[in-house]
Amino acid sequence: MEFTGQIGLIWEETKVPLVVPVLKVMVILCLAMSAMLFIERVYMGIVIVFVKLFRRKPEKMYKWEPMKDDVELGNLGYPMVLVQIPMYNEKEVYQLSIGAACGLSWPADRVIIQVLDDSTDPAIKTLVQVECQRWASKGINIKYEIRDNRNGYKAGALKEGMKHSYVKQCDYVAIFDADFQPEPHFLTRTIPFLVNNPQLGLVQARWKFVNSDECLMTRMQEMSLDYHFIVEQEVGSSTHAFFGFNGTAGVWRISAINEAGGWKDRTTVEDMDLAVRASLKGWKFVYVGDLKVKNELPSTFNAYRNQQHRWSCGPANLFKKMAMEIIRNKKVSLWKKFYVIYSFFFVRKIVAHIVTFVFYCVVLPATVLVPEVEVPKWGAVYIPSIITLLNAVGTPRSLHLVLFWIIFENVMSLHRTKATFIGLLEAGRVNEWVVTEKLGDGLKTKLGGKTPRKPRFRIGDRVHILELGVGAYLFFCGCYDLAFGKNRYFIFLFLQSIAFFIAGVGYVGTMVSTS
């Protein structure tokens, strides 16, 4: 009791002169970041409504004519296309991607399928090589390429793949990650944009998730990514002819890649790096939202955490590396430079992550303990509610899950904020690349189509200390608000703390027993 009394005394003595001023500054900064995010979301909402109302389809914005057979030239009337499939120990999905690429509707003598296998498992390498030989025996022009190292990871594999002599005859390159399955008409939809519009360097398609109904976590991911593809990519394409390349399900003009300096492995977002550099050279991009390519969402929590670390750390690190280069560039307009630096990078890739965690999981709960600091209702309720609704409209079928989505996104914001600061400060894990685990159909086959619900519990693999620590902090703030507070935040705080505890013990997503 005496010890508790001493802590209470220290708290009362430091609260007014130290804690209150710091917390007030934090509230002001968080409200400013919330306002930035709110304006950004409203702006994109207005633009996307305009795009939909006036039917500004890519085929109307750019010249597009279907490829036609030429009587005199024959298949020579079709440009030569390279299809790259980078993969790493993809035992569960390699057949899907290779089969889909080999099934593309394009003259067989005008396309080269290039499988870039960085696998370290000899058995898997053999399986992939045999699969390539099987398609080659059917008359498909498929190349199986390996390296003696994994330098640069995916960027290194793509860069090495472009060095082969047969690539020189190709005009365009389509890229598909190992779990992506393009429809046969993919090239006939995308290549005409590049053929008829010499200013275009990239055509990007939308992702379609084959396992979005696998568990609640995949439904949450679908909501976030649908907003990215339906709104963010569409707005960037329609207003600035710029957006971040998604690393897959897109077709590049090879001369645009070369002019931009080729693939670089200086960050974990080599796709975004290339897109920004190509844009600074004056190349334009087009997003084709009604062309969807099937792929798989990470369904295990560790796989998703690793992916989100890469997707949050990489852009922050790239922003640090390229900010001055973008500002000094003279080939693009001032308006486009402002869009890339402020909207694309600063608000979406940095502010969005930081404000979600710092404001809603640290500062707002802290005001329960420090009643001298108040957060205006517009900042605590109205702005986040509108932002949430604007995000959720991209996936109407999941509107009833919006509460779960808010709580889940707040949990993930801890990991994203940490990764963002690692990227900005170029700290330890800045260039860590963990390939996202894909389960393909293997899991369902082994279990007779049923997802495992009670795996063997392994503490070392499942416990996440940071999530548990934040959960404990939120639970304490909730208890304090229930007992002494007037804010009535305790309902939110208890729900959010439970979510952090659940994530802290890894009880999220599809859980695969390692036995």
Side-chain angles (χ1 to χ4, degrees), residues 56 73 164 380 496:
R56 285 172 57 86
L73 295 174
H164 295 281
Q496 192 64 70

Side-chain angles (χ1 to χ4, degrees), residues 226-392:
D226 275 354
Y227 179 81
H228 169 69
F229 282 104
I230 294 172
V231 179
E232 291 181 344
Q233 297 295 75
E234 193 76 71
V235 169
S237 177
S238 301
T239 57
H240 303 278
F242 170 79
F243 47 83
F245 174 44
N246 293 117
T248 177
V251 186
W252 277 94
R253 189 185 300 273
I254 291 178
S255 58
I257 294 177
N258 294 335
E259 189 183 343
W263 293 101
K264 293 185 179 181
D265 59 1
R266 56 181 177 170
T267 71
T268 56
V269 283
E270 75 295 322
D271 42 15
M272 187 182 294
D273 188 351
L274 177 62
V276 174
R277 285 185 281 114
S279 181
L280 295 181
K281 292 292 182 182
W283 291 100
K284 294 182 177 181
F285 309 154
V286 63
Y287 171 69
V288 186
D290 62 350
L291 177 60
K292 301 174 184 178
V293 181
K294 292 188 289 186
N295 69 101
E296 180 184 324
L297 291 163
S299 55
T300 64
F301 189 49
N302 279 338
Y304 186 54
R305 286 173 95 247
N306 287 329
Q307 182 201 68
Q308 292 303 297
H309 173 85
R310 192 170 77 245
W311 285 6
S312 303
C313 178
N317 189 229
L318 183 63
F319 175 64
K320 179 180 180 179
K321 284 180 163 69
M322 293 204 70
M324 291 310 299
E325 185 180 341
I326 297 168
I327 291 170
R328 294 193 194 103
N329 184 273
K330 295 180 180 178
K331 281 195 174 184
V332 298
S333 66
L334 186 65
W335 174 236
K336 189 168 185 176
K337 284 194 278 190
F338 175 79
Y339 173 77
V340 174
I341 289 176
Y342 176 77
S343 182
F344 179 77
F345 272 118
F346 187 64
V347 176
R348 292 187 221 166
K349 312 300 182 187
I350 296 175
V351 166
H353 300 325
I354 293 174
V355 74
T356 303
F357 175 68
V358 174
F359 192 25
Y360 302 115
C361 300
V362 179
V363 173
L364 203 62
T367 60
V368 169
L369 307 175
V370 187
E372 294 88 344
V373 180
E374 291 187 14
V375 177
K377 190 171 284 187
W378 61 265
V381 179
Y382 300 144
I383 278 185
S385 298
I386 295 171
I387 290 174
T388 299
L389 290 173
L390 289 173
N391 273 277

Side-chain angles (χ1 to χ4, degrees), residues 304 308 312 353 409 412-421:
Y304 186 54
Q308 292 303 297
S312 303
H353 300 325
E409 283 293 291
M412 291 309 301
S413 70
L414 163 64
H415 204 57
R416 291 173 185 143
T417 300
K418 177 186 170 187
T420 298
F421 280 113

